[in-house]
Amino acid sequence: MKVTSLALAISSTLVLSACGGGDSSEETTNFTSISGKAIDGYIVGATVYLDLNYNNKRDSGEPYAITTTGGNFDIVLDANDASCSDYVPTIVDVPVGAIDEDLGEVTEAYQMVIPPNIIISSNTDIKNITPFNNRIMVHHRTRITSR
């Protein structure tokens, strides 16, 4: 079991060192996007982002989008972020004041998460983020940290 945890830690370190790296002076013309819906009732006004450093908060430089009607989002990724998108969680921060199209205004902030490698991203993939995805991520984090 410790070998699995060590392998996971090493692979996470390798992924994190590759994500966000590179020369910032390079212009990247290859863009792709991740589209989907934030669903707990469709959520309008939530922030959806790739958590490139696994800290559960959106940092400067992490690609993001704000959800619109129907919970829709479209995160535009440069080539570097696209190469990392399969290996990092996609997080939805639902703030107080966001709109749940079924229940109205959100009065308590919360977060939903799609764990890495649940869906392989491409130009045509769609990520739908629901509380069920969040339960999967919590389960995996619990198993990893308990070892």
Side-chain angles (χ1 to χ4, degrees):
M1 292 300 186
K2 293 196 184 271
V3 173
T4 304
S5 297
L6 179 60
L8 179 62
I10 290 170
S11 64
S12 295
T13 302
L14 292 173
V15 166
L16 289 174
S17 65
C19 294
D23 185 354
S24 61
S25 66
E26 282 182 31
E27 281 197 36
T28 305
T29 56
N30 295 329
F31 290 94
T32 187
S33 66
I34 298 173
S35 299
K37 294 179 178 285
I39 306 170
D40 186 13
Y42 294 121
I43 305 295
V44 179
T47 302
V48 182
Y49 62 95
L50 296 183
D51 189 14
L52 298 177
N53 61 357
Y54 285 81
N55 68 348
N56 293 329
K57 64 180 183 175
R58 189 179 77 78
D59 297 304
S60 176
E62 289 179 330
Y64 74 99
I66 305 297
T67 59
T68 59
T69 302
N72 293 304
F73 65 88
D74 189 27
I75 303 173
V76 177
L77 305 173
D78 64 24
N80 187 53
D81 291 336
S83 70
C84 299
S85 65
D86 296 332
Y87 307 105
V88 299
T90 302
I91 297 182
V92 178
D93 281 333
V94 181
V96 170
I99 303 299
D100 176 325
E101 291 184 351
D102 289 341
L103 301 175
E105 187 171 334
V106 173
T107 58
E108 187 174 329
Y110 63 97
Q111 204 175 60
M112 296 186 290
V113 181
I114 289 183
N117 288 324
I118 292 296
I119 298 174
I120 304 301
S121 306
S122 74
N123 287 339
T124 59
D125 283 336
I126 295 174
K127 290 190 175 190
N128 293 328
I129 304 170
T130 70
F132 179 72
N133 301 113
N134 194 55
R135 293 184 61 80
I136 292 170
M137 185 66 175
V138 168
H139 173 75
H140 287 295
R141 279 189 185 149
T142 301
R143 290 190 64 194
I144 289 169
T145 58
S146 68
R147 291 184 176 166

